[in-house]
Amino acid sequence: MGAFGGWGKAKLASIFSNAGGLGIIAALNFPKFEDFKKDLQTMKQMTDKPFGVNLSLPHSGFEESAKKTRTKEDYLKYVEIALKEGIKIFTTSGYKASFLGDRIHEAGGLWFHKCVLIKHAISTENEGADGITLVGLEGTGFKNPLTNTTLVNITMAKKLLKIPIIAAGGIGDARGFLGALAMGADAVCFGTAIMVTKECPVSEKAKTKWLNLDIFDNKFHEKIFHYNVKSFMSPSTAIAHQKKMLPLKTFIEEIMNGAENILSSWGFTANEFNSITK
Ligand SMILES: Cc1cc2nc3c(=O)[nH]c(=O)nc-3n(C[C@H](O)[C@H](O)[C@H](O)COP(=O)(O)O)c2cc1C
């Protein structure tokens, strides 16, 4: 599960974890530390499956923007609260996060960083990250004018990185999922596709609007493929694969079953892979 500003809370993340994915609670959704702690406790009541916590750092450089919002100490405090609640999986995104990674490792946790450029993935690996989520040009959220497509990012990352890779960016169906694995990813991250699932607490009106988007429209193309910070909330090309508001569990099952059907059509036998739905 991607990090979601606004919606990445126990309510949605627990459904994702219970459906077989890795639910992510985005710490910055809780301006008050106490509320963050409470949500982690709620999450533990709602699922006994693994989940993680995201810390999205300011993209434009920590020192400048964090002064106005959150300091490095604030970020460390979120980590401390999560560690105290027994959280062992952390994702970071945005700017350099090794000061958090170091603390997470010291406490025996796992640190995954999300970036959009291979050069940042390499430097994060050198700083000790346990895995990288690499977002391609097809994806939504923060990008860089030099962001490459998911195809280029993942196939190159497989050649250049030693640590596990999570592919993100435009993935919304079984072929995209399987394609990412074939390119070298160890897992995929869903963002846009989850936003239109039944349980996502976005309004039905917004979901319907997203489901009716034409990704081949010029305006859509302009927003997704040309870097612009204002595009942050635009759905990615993954929206084209969503036809209706599915329950989150059904969404994940359809991806897994679809992937297995494709593998079967390629001649793999069912006992060569494990179905989560069997
Ligand atoms: C509504 C929304 C809010 C998001 N908020 C964040 C965020 O706070 N931090 C972050 O690192 N990424 C955020 N993202 C990006 C996702 O975590 C993920 O990297 C991206 O959506 C993957 O691409 P996809 O949308 O093509 O699946 C957000 C995405 C969406 C759709």
Side-chain angles (χ1 to χ4, degrees):
M1 174 173 161
F4 290 117
W7 297 280
K9 299 182 180 178
K11 196 175 166 199
L12 182 64
S14 62
I15 301 168
F16 199 77
S17 284
N18 285 332
L22 182 74
I24 296 290
I25 293 183
L28 266 54
N29 283 329
F30 305 94
K32 291 187 188 147
F33 295 121
E34 191 52 34
D35 292 341
F36 174 52
K37 186 176 153 186
K38 267 190 214 147
D39 201 62
L40 295 179
Q41 290 169 349
T42 306
M43 182 74 174
K44 286 190 280 183
Q45 281 163 10
M46 295 173 90
T47 184
D48 57 1
K49 298 281 176 4
F51 67 94
V53 158
N54 168 266
L55 292 130
S56 299
L57 286 105
H59 300 295
S60 54
F62 199 88
E63 303 304 336
E64 279 170 36
S65 35
K67 265 188 228 153
K68 291 183 215 128
T69 51
R70 291 176 181 92
T71 62
K72 279 191 170 185
E73 287 67 36
D74 291 334
Y75 278 90
L76 282 163
K77 185 142 188 215
Y78 281 115
V79 170
E80 287 312 321
I81 292 168
L83 288 171
K84 264 204 189 108
E85 289 301 321
I87 311 306
K88 291 282 183 208
I89 302 169
F90 290 84
T91 70
T92 55
S93 40
Y95 201 58
K96 294 176 183 175
S98 59
F99 72 103
L100 298 175
D102 291 347
R103 176 64 194 117
I104 292 160
H105 282 156
E106 198 180 67
L110 289 171
W111 167 42
F112 296 85
H113 185 66
K114 181 168 74 184
C115 47
V116 300
L117 298 187
I118 293 272
K119 67 175 181 179
H120 293 156
I122 293 170
S123 57
T124 312
E125 176 177 81
N126 291 337
E127 284 167 351
D130 298 294
I132 294 287
T133 300
L134 204 48
V135 187
L137 190 59
E138 303 92 320
T140 192
F142 174 76
K143 288 191 276 191
N144 178 293
L146 297 177
T147 301
N148 261 302
T149 56
T150 302
L151 172 80
V152 175
N153 266 356
I154 303 304
T155 51
M156 286 309 296
K158 187 62 184 170
K159 292 196 167 74
L160 298 170
L161 300 180
K162 292 176 206 73
I163 55 177
I165 304 157
I166 301 168
I171 302 170
D173 73 341
R175 287 190 187 280
F177 164 62
L178 213 49
L181 299 189
M183 284 185 241
D186 298 276
V188 297
C189 163
F190 294 112
T192 294
I194 299 173
M195 297 312 292
V196 291
T197 56
K198 247 194 180 123
E199 297 91 341
C200 183
V202 170
S203 71
E204 285 230 0
K205 197 175 156 204
K207 287 181 199 174
T208 307
K209 193 176 157 201
W210 278 27
L211 284 168
N212 286 310
L213 279 172
D214 174 6
I215 68 157
F216 303 107
D217 178 78
N218 272 356
K219 272 194 211 141
F220 184 93
H221 197 275
E222 191 63 29
K223 266 191 176 168
I224 279 297
F225 295 115
H226 301 271
Y227 171 67
N228 173 357
V229 264
K230 285 187 192 142
S231 302
F232 190 77
M233 292 301 292
S234 304
S236 78
T237 55
I239 200 66
H241 299 291
Q242 317 316 313
K243 296 292 163 229
K244 55 183 176 192
M245 291 170 221
L246 292 177
L248 200 35
K249 191 166 186 294
T250 311
F251 166 74
I252 294 188
E253 282 172 359
E254 284 196 355
I255 299 265
M256 300 308 286
N257 290 336
E260 288 175 0
N261 287 337
I262 296 166
L263 287 173
S264 296
S265 75
W266 290 346
F268 290 93
T269 56
N271 59 8
E272 286 173 289
F273 43 82
N274 292 316
S275 168
I276 57 161
T277 55
K278 273 179 201 146

